[in-house]
Amino acid sequence: MAGGDIARATLNITMPIIPIVVPLLVHFFFVSFALVDFWLPDCYFFSHLILLIVGLWAVKDKTSIQAVIVFIIVLLMTGLFDIVILSLYFESNNTTSRRKFAEAMCIINLLLKPATLLFAVYAVYVRNGSLNCFSGLGDQYNILRGSATVENPSPSAPAQ
């Protein structure tokens, strides 16, 4: 086996999961340090826990666009929650350095969310081939329109 074959055999990370894994690890790092001091409410922990779980789902299911779409929705929701939580619980006259460090990690985590959003949109592009992630919904709607209705309880058979 040549040296390139060994490198190809041991490196089995595919490209579609890399745009999700790296930002997910970065957010895990900053959320962990933001929770060092007990100044954040429990909803911060649980919303970011849901973000990490959905991100792991998007990593595990390498072909699903739905997993990445849910990741994007939860990412936007946690960004909104972070803004609200920081506006309610941030104190500029705090005294402990641990609290200042935790607040800084929370702010950095919030500032990194637009970059994570761009990585997630890129993952949608890689998995779907285009940024139109709702392209298949119209076909499903048309299939449902031809099925059973109130006036006609049984689906109509195609004309032959």
Side-chain angles (χ1 to χ4, degrees):
M1 225 186 248
D5 294 335
I6 294 172
R8 256 184 262 126
T10 58
L11 185 64
N12 58 2
I13 297 175
T14 59
M15 186 59 189
I17 66 166
I18 290 175
I20 301 290
V21 170
V22 173
L24 198 63
L25 291 174
V26 170
H27 282 292
F28 176 74
F29 175 78
F30 284 112
V31 167
S32 298
F33 281 121
L35 293 171
V36 167
D37 198 22
F38 299 107
W39 68 284
L40 290 167
D42 291 337
C43 67
Y44 183 85
F45 169 73
F46 288 116
S47 65
H48 284 85
L49 179 66
I50 290 171
L51 178 70
L52 293 173
I53 289 170
V54 170
L56 288 175
W57 172 37
V59 168
K60 178 67 178 157
D61 196 359
K62 296 175 181 75
T63 60
S64 175
I65 296 172
Q66 289 85 7
V68 182
I69 296 297
V70 172
F71 179 72
I72 289 172
I73 291 170
V74 173
L75 182 69
L76 292 172
M77 288 175 47
T78 56
L80 179 67
F81 291 161
D82 288 355
I83 292 170
V84 171
I85 287 169
L86 280 171
S87 65
L88 292 177
Y89 291 96
F90 183 80
E91 294 179 10
S92 60
N93 58 355
N94 52 9
T95 56
T96 64
S97 59
R98 186 173 64 185
R99 172 85 180 252
K100 289 178 185 178
F101 177 75
E103 289 173 347
M105 293 297 113
C106 185
I107 292 170
I108 292 171
N109 186 29
L110 176 63
L111 292 176
L112 288 176
K113 288 194 179 186
T116 304
L117 181 65
L118 290 176
F119 280 115
V121 168
Y122 175 71
V124 168
Y125 177 74
V126 167
R127 292 180 186 195
N128 195 24
S130 70
L131 291 178
N132 189 6
C133 56
F134 302 109
S135 62
L137 294 180
D139 298 335
Q140 293 172 359
Y141 177 71
N142 289 335
I143 291 169
L144 291 175
R145 275 182 70 190
S147 63
T149 62
V150 175
E151 293 86 19
N152 185 12
S154 63
S156 59
Q160 296 182 6

